[in-house]
Amino acid sequence: MKSKLNFLLFEFSLSSIFRHGAKNIFIFFVFTLLTFLLSSVLFVSNSIKSELDATLDSLPDITVQKLQAGRQTNIPVSRVDELLAIQGVSKAVPRIWGYYYFAKAGVNFSVLGIDSFDDQYKSLYRKLADQYDFSNFADKSLMLVGKGVDGILRENYYKGYFNFIKPDGTFVKMNIGGIFTGDTRMESNDLILMPKSKALEIFGMHDDEATDIVIRVANPVEIPNIATKISLKYPDCRVITKEDLVISYQNIFDYKGGLFLALFVISGFTFFMIIYDKASGLSSEEKREIGILKALGWKVDDILKEKFYEAFAISFLSFITAICMSMFFVYFLNAPFLRNIFIGYSTLKPDFILPFSLNFQTLSVIFFVTVPIYIAATIVPSWRVASMDADEVMR
Amino acid sequence: MNKKLSVSILFFSATVILLTFIQIVYLESRNTHMSEKRLLVKKTALPDLALSTEAHFIRHRSLSDLFSIFSNAPMLLEYFPSTFVYHYSGVTQQKNPARIELEK
């Protein structure tokens, strides 16, 4: 059977929606609100995850940390050459980085020592920083800070500089030479970049030590193999591959996903209650309407089609409205309230912009959880009534 | 049939759909700073987002100490998702990690 969209029937459905105006408008609002809530939460989660995934490729393939008594300690820089000797390792870089606790604000800054400030790096940081003055970086004791760090320092009356306290109690004064652009805020909010010598001084480390060593592997297939080689060669080391990081991301989102599941279950329950209410029986008025239509000569087929159009019009319009609203809420307003679930408690809260990522999987999940169920809940009871005799229904 | 009503409902749906598309197009065009983020991550080689900074094992959790949280108390239950990460011995449990499995 060929079924075309019957416009007259469609118009009849639209007018039928308005005949039961108050009820349908209420359903429209609840439907929209629930779908809006659900999709907003999924959008926030998706965009944070996509942000993580997008930068995942830029991460080093392997990170080697030295452990002592179950804690991470400094690794000798001399191991870099031995690691480079392993076949397949294309690059091994010792890093100096750590946390500096600023007690006054109760915040941990991430301090990173940068090796060289030759022209190549200078052009790179010019791209990443708002204000920029690194004419002689090391001599002038300059550092590059994230927006969040700058904000906290300003709040504590450090204008353009900060006094780091060394382990021996003396001060190291560092001037702010530049601030990272707002675009990279999610990555750089708590970051302080400074010359390696200064970072070593602040942390009280020796020149021949590094925090850890990052390794690049030429062939990605070889990563597990090389990781095994390293951990066999240095039993005191913890070898973290990129895949371990992926796992840790997955855990975070599983955990956060659990929170959403709770939210989703509640909204889903409410939604199904409405559906149940609708499906548990038509009102006598609606029943009589179907009976009259049958008496006028409508077939069961026509009645079901009419009901389908009606349900589809309401549910699809609610769906689209909700998606449109939640896109605005998440990506333009940056999801006030909801975002806090993700960023948690933190003094150095980044004021980030959620990156846009349209995930068709998510959209289709939201669609199939809402629209077809509503349509089914409308059609099934109508079919039950429509398959009865007309006089029996009207009586 | 109230013609006005049906026209207005169609107009409303068309507006909503158009708005959605405009938003998608605009938001897609706004996503331009991804390369800068990649550049920064590549240079610093620090993973994870600066979403919370209250404890040193939150930011860069994957590169923090093993079981950092035990510095608070060994009986303490894990209360941050970031402490769910630990690394198995590379020698003994190469293939089958005990608890965490990567979903693909």
Side-chain angles (χ1 to χ4, degrees), chain B residues 61-62 80:
Chain B
R61 59 190 181 273
S62 31
F80 286 126

Side-chain angles (χ1 to χ4, degrees), chain A residues 159-177:
Chain A
K159 294 248 162 71
Y161 74 99
F162 182 63
N163 287 329
F164 287 94
I165 304 171
K166 286 203 292 186
D168 61 7
T170 53
F171 292 111
V172 177
K173 187 180 172 185
M174 296 293 291
N175 299 306
I176 296 176

Side-chain angles (χ1 to χ4, degrees), chain A residues 173-272:
Chain A
K173 187 180 172 185
M174 296 293 291
N175 299 306
I176 296 176
I179 300 168
F180 281 111
T181 53
D183 289 344
T184 58
R185 210 159 173 174
M186 264 223 259
E187 285 80 10
S188 68
N189 200 45
D190 65 341
L191 201 62
I192 297 178
L193 280 192
M194 59 172 69
K196 219 170 199 173
S197 54
K198 290 287 175 185
L200 285 170
E201 202 182 330
I202 287 166
F203 290 141
M205 285 163 66
H206 295 291
D207 290 349
D208 57 351
E209 287 175 337
T211 315
D212 50 25
I213 298 172
V214 292
I215 290 172
R216 289 237 168 235
V217 177
N219 181 3
V221 182
E222 280 186 68
I223 293 174
N225 199 7
I226 290 172
T228 317
K229 268 188 197 169
I230 295 170
S231 51
L232 285 174
K233 190 168 182 179
Y234 301 110
D236 62 344
C237 278
R238 175 193 188 203
V239 183
I240 300 162
T241 60
K242 220 190 251 181
E243 200 180 317
D244 294 332
L245 295 182
V246 179
I247 292 174
S248 81
Y249 290 170
Q250 182 84 44
N251 287 333
I252 288 279
F253 282 96
D254 284 353
Y255 180 86
K256 295 281 188 185
L259 290 177
F260 295 136
L261 198 65
L263 202 68
F264 177 64
V265 164
I266 294 167
S267 51
F269 191 71
T270 323
F271 184 67
F272 283 113

